[in-house]
Amino acid sequence: MSNQPAGLAPALQRIWQRRGAAAWLLLPISLLFGLLAGMRRWLYRNGWLKAARLPVPVLVVGNIFVGGTGKTPLTIWLAQQLHHAGYRPGVLSRGYGAHVDVPRLVTADSLPEEVGDEPLLIASHAGCPMAVGRNRAAAGAALLRAHPEVDLLLLDDGLQHYALARDLEIMLFDGRGAGNGWMLPAGPLREPLSRRRDVTVINGAASAPGVAPDAFRMSLKGDMAVQLAQPGRRIALAELAGQRPAPRIAAAAGIGNPERYFGMLEAAGLRFSRLPLPDHYAFHDNPFAGVDADVILITEKDAVKCRHSEPLRNDPRLWFVPVEAVIDVALADTIVEKLRGFPTDRHPGLPHLQTPAGL
């Protein structure tokens, strides 16, 4: 298998980290992109485009940097912390890569191709109701009808989904920060760095280029590998790194920023060959068939899909590494304090939005 990086090309990432000649050449297109994005925000802000309002507060977790920054672990952490604070949260998602033209509730029996890989991961760890759909407002209405006890909705990866009104916004960065600070395609930003937000979080770094120093810090902890074929078998990464003779290890990641996963494994003392895969890789084929390794470490997000492939779920070489967000509890306190100003039941009943029969 090729070891060429998947997802966003490294050359493009290098362009986005500085204002070099290539970035300057792309800047006129970025200015047009920024103009169109700003016009869209203005139309929603001034009521020319209507945003649906749900009867419970909506908290959005998202990013303006293209690619993965760690939104899924942060969403899981927030759902758990808000539950501990007395809320009964639900989670909404687009369900990227799935066929969800109409809202769908996520259950233990849902398939990745039906609801997406990240929603299955969130639902299994957050322990709260979840719904997916292209129309997030309709998905929220469906979830609230099915679970009227829900009094708060978390919208995963929804900063640019202005069709659903929101009350609080959390913007997440990683160590790449804002890159060169320019919008697509000259830079990595979907929206300008000046875009308002209520809370800023940095994942995996003490500081990041272009990000205010008062941002909350987040890190991802993963110190154990679980065998996919036999989930009862677990091994500490430090123990795996110390085995003699040393096993041949490969690491694969179908996430937005594979290098962050690889860096975590290296920090645990592991040495391995890298197998980056495209984000949301579907595993319709077996990318590990020709891999010469005793152990293949995959992400838990990839394990969600590998479980539904007989050759993959029975491959004893496959082990996944669960990760969890480590964040100062002060972030949860800040969110709870901000939420106190947003009452529920702000409108009598739910909006009349498209929902599937039975929800």
Side-chain angles (χ1 to χ4, degrees):
M1 178 179 175
S2 171
N3 280 354
Q4 289 301 312
L8 295 171
L12 192 54
Q13 290 282 5
R14 287 193 294 272
I15 289 173
W16 286 347
Q17 290 305 121
R18 63 189 187 92
R19 296 184 176 182
W24 278 102
L25 286 173
L26 293 169
L27 185 58
I29 306 176
S30 295
L31 296 175
L32 177 59
F33 179 86
L35 177 64
L36 294 175
M39 183 179 299
R40 179 172 174 267
R41 289 194 303 273
W42 184 89
L43 290 172
Y44 273 107
R45 186 168 57 245
N46 290 277
W48 291 92
L49 292 176
K50 298 298 183 182
R53 170 69 72 179
L54 293 172
V56 299
V58 173
L59 169 59
V60 174
V61 178
N63 57 352
I64 59 173
F65 194 106
V66 172
T69 54
K71 294 181 295 294
T72 297
L74 176 56
T75 300
I76 292 170
W77 184 88
L78 283 168
Q80 294 169 340
Q81 293 296 319
L82 289 167
H83 179 75
H84 293 155
Y87 286 93
R88 290 160 292 181
V91 182
L92 305 176
S93 173
R94 166 66 178 85
Y96 184 85
H99 305 293
V100 282
D101 291 333
V102 295
R104 186 186 295 269
L105 296 179
V106 180
T107 70
D109 298 324
S110 297
L111 300 175
E113 58 266 27
E114 295 175 338
V115 299
D117 47 18
E118 290 168 344
L120 280 174
L121 193 57
I122 293 171
S124 66
H125 287 287
C128 62
M130 181 159 191
V132 298
R134 185 186 303 275
N135 183 331
R136 260 55 61 91
L143 187 149
L144 292 173
R145 289 191 178 96
H147 296 277
E149 75 279 5
V150 168
D151 56 10
L152 169 70
L153 288 170
L154 291 169
L155 176 56
D156 175 48
D157 194 13
L159 279 186
Q160 289 78 43
H161 189 73
Y162 291 110
L164 176 59
R166 69 285 310 272
D167 299 290
L168 292 176
E169 294 182 321
I170 298 178
M171 188 180 294
L172 179 62
F173 294 90
D174 60 15
R176 297 168 295 180
N180 62 15
W182 285 345
M183 295 180 65
L184 293 167
L189 303 183
R190 296 186 182 103
E191 297 185 276
L193 187 59
S194 59
R195 182 200 188 284
R196 70 163 301 279
R197 82 291 304 257
D198 297 284
V199 177
T200 304
V201 179
I202 299 176
N203 176 22
S207 61
V211 182
D214 60 349
F216 288 92
R217 304 299 187 269
M218 164 181 161
S219 62
L220 297 179
K221 174 186 175 184
D223 54 13
M224 188 75 61
V226 181
Q227 191 176 39
L228 186 65
Q230 301 182 60
R233 293 191 62 192
R234 298 167 176 257
I235 184 171
L237 296 183
E239 181 182 346
L240 182 61
Q243 284 186 351
R244 296 294 179 270
R248 296 166 302 167
I249 301 174
I255 58 178
N257 184 8
E259 284 302 318
R260 186 170 57 243
Y261 176 69
F262 297 148
M264 182 187 71
L265 298 181
E266 285 182 329
L270 292 167
R271 297 294 175 262
F272 50 88
S273 60
R274 284 168 160 78
L275 302 175
L277 299 169
D279 194 12
H280 300 283
Y281 189 72
F283 292 95
H284 293 317
D285 57 357
N286 184 351
F288 310 126
V291 174
D292 185 18
D294 303 308
V295 174
I296 302 175
L297 298 173
I298 63 176
T299 70
E300 190 173 15
K301 173 178 164 180
D302 293 321
V304 165
K305 288 164 290 190
C306 290
R307 288 192 185 100
H308 295 276
S309 166
E310 185 173 355
L312 292 171
R313 69 170 173 263
N314 293 324
D315 187 340
R317 302 175 300 164
L318 291 182
W319 297 68
F320 65 89
V321 182
V323 298
E324 61 178 0
V326 179
I327 311 173
D328 190 333
V329 71
L331 173 58
D333 295 338
T334 298
I335 295 298
V336 169
E337 184 61 32
K338 289 179 178 292
L339 285 171
R340 296 188 195 282
F342 299 106
T344 59
D345 295 324
R346 293 172 295 194
H347 296 291
L350 293 166
H352 296 288
L353 299 166
Q354 181 185 13
T355 56
L359 292 184

